[in-house]
Amino acid sequence: MKIPMKSSRRENLAAYVFLSPILLFFAIFFAFAVGFSVWISFREWDMLISPLDAVFVGPSNYVVLFSDPLFVSSLVNTVIYAFSTTIAVVILSLLIAVALNNLRYSAVWRFIYFAPVVTPAVAIGIIWSYLYNPSRGIVNEVLGWLGIPAHNWLTDPHYALMAIIIVAVWAGMGASILIFTAGLRAIPQSYYEAARIDGATKVKMFFSITLPLIKPTTLFLSVTGMIGAWQVFDLIYIMGTNAPASSVQVISLYIYKTAFVNLQMGSASAAAMILFAIVLVTTLFTLGIFRKGGIESYE
Amino acid sequence: MNKKRKVTGMIKYVFVGLVGVAMITPFYWLISASLMTLQEFLSVPPKWIPSDPQWHNYVEVFKHVPFLNYYFNSFVVAILSTVMVLLTSAMGGYAFAKLNFIGKKLLFKFTLSTMMFPAFLFLIPNFYIITKFGWTSNYLALVMPFAVSAYGIFLLRQFIMGIPSDLIDAAKIDGASQFAIFFRIIIPLTQPALATLAILSFIGQWNNFLWPLIITSFSPELTTVPVGLSKLSLAFSTYTNQNLILAGTVLEIAPVVALFLYLQRYYIKGIVLTGFGGI
């Protein structure tokens, strides 16, 4: 039990002196910036004139977005990317974390899985663009050994997004494995011993002990993974250039191109607001789950 | 029973091993291909091992592209923003953890809530702000939008809360000012958390791509390593020294992997503590 101390005038002053750079930063790069985005999303602005002279167009930027087939396909691709990447990462990294638990040299294995997490996404994109090369990439080469026919992974609209999702899963597993491992270690060994005495199989133990007890970690990773995945940019920018835009482009790329290639700041801001709404819904959904799950450590 | 356990053990190893090979192969291929001659690199079917390692590929990179410039820019930006983030996070973390002031709860909630806003919402306004301040063609353009990290404030607040308040009270009785307490007590005791934040921030900034991409399209002299490499790799079809780009990619990865290996335990602590791979 903490007894709230009365704050003195000097302490108030000291606190605000310590916070002043942060408050100044948030005033400029957050509050003003968000307001600016909202303001511009209702206007037509090309960045060449003063934003104050930008013509007010009402909600038309938002309306026009949904009649732009490229925006709609970007939205669909983002949803496909976010869900498949997150689900695959969570399932695979849980399985790997369980398999790694109590395995010899587990630290070495974890490092191997972790390497892509620190690697710049641009480097990952470059490496995999070569690996996916239809004639001299090793992906088709290895698949050929297994008798699987070669594909133009990054240029064929049917495969391009899937190929990028596979890379995202490859790159994203390491961090989740680490967090799952921490979660697995928190499960008391006595539960497993009791189950073993009762003659439970490993599979049975996984489904009746591990899975229910690791649930908070699974939820946490699903949602943080999802929030990150909604905003994917680097991998798609590097690897998605040779496929038709409608098959790989995601919202973030749509925003970038609309703003900094076409200089349509109004519709780019409107698209950014829509992305924000998606992220916000995901976050609020998570916070709800956390509260229900009794995780209050963020307070 | 025993046999069955052996079989599950085998399956475990095969599974972990196969995925492990899939994790490592792209890196192996990158290093191997970066040492090939152009002919070897272009051969069909692909070669796995360079017949005669071309170490000079790594020298050529510096001759054919302004790679040294990219490197310098990346280091300056990553170091400057890391220093800023450490300072602002420690100051904010201390205030939120140990000081009582009006509006504390509200400001802390506000700080956390800023994390919910996607970076894409800030591209246009931040670009406008940077141009208005006249920073477009210097490092401030790349550093200032990342000078404060809500995540960092949160991380350090959690850590500083664990420092016994008795220490601070004792110093107060001895007549120490708030700033003396901050620099003489808090900062030295917070070093593990600062190390964690430093490595997360450095790697995050070194790998940062989108914002430098935008800024450097207006000020190419500020090009960082990821942006420079992406431009080279996307201009490929016309580029005759494709294998050199791979040498460049190795050089892009090297500093962060070295840093990670060196400060691994701090990095992993940061990930496990908060569940995020970056800032």
Side-chain angles (χ1 to χ4, degrees), chain A residues 11-12 16 37 113 130 170, chain B residues 16 22 100-102 120-121 236:
Chain A
E11 204 165 329
N12 260 314
Y16 278 97
S37 274
Y113 291 113
Y130 283 110
W170 175 86
Chain B
V16 168
N100 285 303
F101 55 95
I102 299 160
F120 285 89
L121 201 56
F236 255 178

Side-chain angles (χ1 to χ4, degrees), chain A residues 154-175:
Chain A
L154 293 178
T155 46
D156 187 327
H158 295 105
Y159 294 114
L161 188 59
M162 189 184 84
I164 297 173
I165 288 171
I166 290 173
V167 176
V169 174
W170 175 86
M173 286 191 310

Side-chain angles (χ1 to χ4, degrees), chain B:
Chain B
M1 180 70 195
N2 214 350
K3 209 172 179 185
K4 208 173 163 191
R5 191 165 289 170
K6 251 185 192 161
V7 171
T8 42
M10 277 280 284
I11 294 174
K12 229 170 162 180
Y13 270 102
V14 170
F15 175 61
V16 168
L18 273 181
V19 183
V21 168
M23 298 311 286
I24 278 213
T25 309
F27 290 107
Y28 163 77
W29 177 86
L30 168 70
I31 293 169
S32 154
S34 76
L35 295 170
M36 289 179 188
T37 62
L38 190 59
Q39 276 89 336
E40 272 183 316
F41 177 73
L42 294 175
S43 65
V44 180
K47 292 197 79 170
W48 289 84
I49 304 166
S51 47
D52 177 23
Q54 306 288 308
W55 295 104
H56 65 89
N57 281 352
Y58 284 84
V59 182
E60 300 284 312
V61 179
F62 287 93
K63 280 189 203 152
H64 288 272
V65 281
F67 210 77
L68 211 55
N69 263 341
Y70 301 167
Y71 238 71
F72 182 76
N73 289 339
S74 274
F75 268 109
V76 170
V77 171
I79 289 170
L80 277 183
S81 36
T82 301
V83 170
M84 299 262 236
V85 163
L86 288 183
L87 196 66
T88 55
S89 302
M91 287 163 75
Y94 173 57
F96 284 126
K98 292 292 178 193
L99 297 175
N100 285 303
F101 55 95
I102 299 160
K104 176 171 165 175
K105 249 194 149 161
L106 190 75
L107 276 180
F108 187 62
K109 279 203 169 143
F110 167 78
T111 305
L112 288 189
S113 69
T114 61
M115 283 200 264
M116 283 192 299
F117 290 72
F120 285 89
L121 201 56
F122 299 100
L123 296 181
I124 296 166
N126 283 1
F127 189 78
Y128 176 71
I129 293 164
I130 296 289
T131 24
K132 274 287 148 191
F133 285 168
W135 291 344
T136 347
S137 54
N138 65 51
Y139 290 120
L140 289 176
L142 296 178
V143 171
M144 286 316 281
F146 304 98
V148 170
S149 150
Y151 166 90
I153 297 171
F154 172 64
L155 184 81
L156 289 188
R157 177 235 187 208
Q158 300 299 88
F159 191 89
I160 294 172
M161 286 209 307
I163 297 175
S165 291
D166 300 357
L167 280 175
I168 298 166
D169 294 339
K172 266 191 207 151
I173 291 165
D174 289 346
S177 70
Q178 283 295 346
F179 298 94
I181 292 172
F182 178 70
F183 284 109
R184 301 236 179 94
I185 298 175
I186 299 298
I187 293 282
L189 289 177
T190 312
Q191 254 158 29
L194 288 173
T196 299
L197 184 59
I199 180 171
L200 284 174
S201 166
F202 185 91
I203 293 180
Q205 281 306 315
W206 182 270
N207 296 354
N208 194 4
F209 178 61
L210 174 60
W211 183 249
L213 176 72
I214 292 169
I215 291 295
T216 57
S217 64
F218 296 88
S219 318
E221 71 277 10
L222 293 179
T223 301
T224 56
V225 179
V227 178
L229 275 180
S230 80
K231 277 186 189 148
L232 287 178
S233 85
L234 295 177
F236 255 178
S237 32
T238 53
Y239 200 65
T240 47
N241 295 309
Q242 296 188 24
N243 51 340
L244 294 188
I245 288 161
L246 295 173
T249 308
V250 173
L251 293 172
E252 179 193 17
I253 299 174
V256 276
V257 170
L259 195 67
F260 168 69
L261 281 176
Y262 185 56
L263 294 170
Q264 209 185 115
R265 67 199 169 98
Y266 293 112
Y267 188 89
I268 286 175
K269 204 182 282 164
I271 301 249
V272 174
L273 218 63
T274 59
F276 296 101
I279 296 198

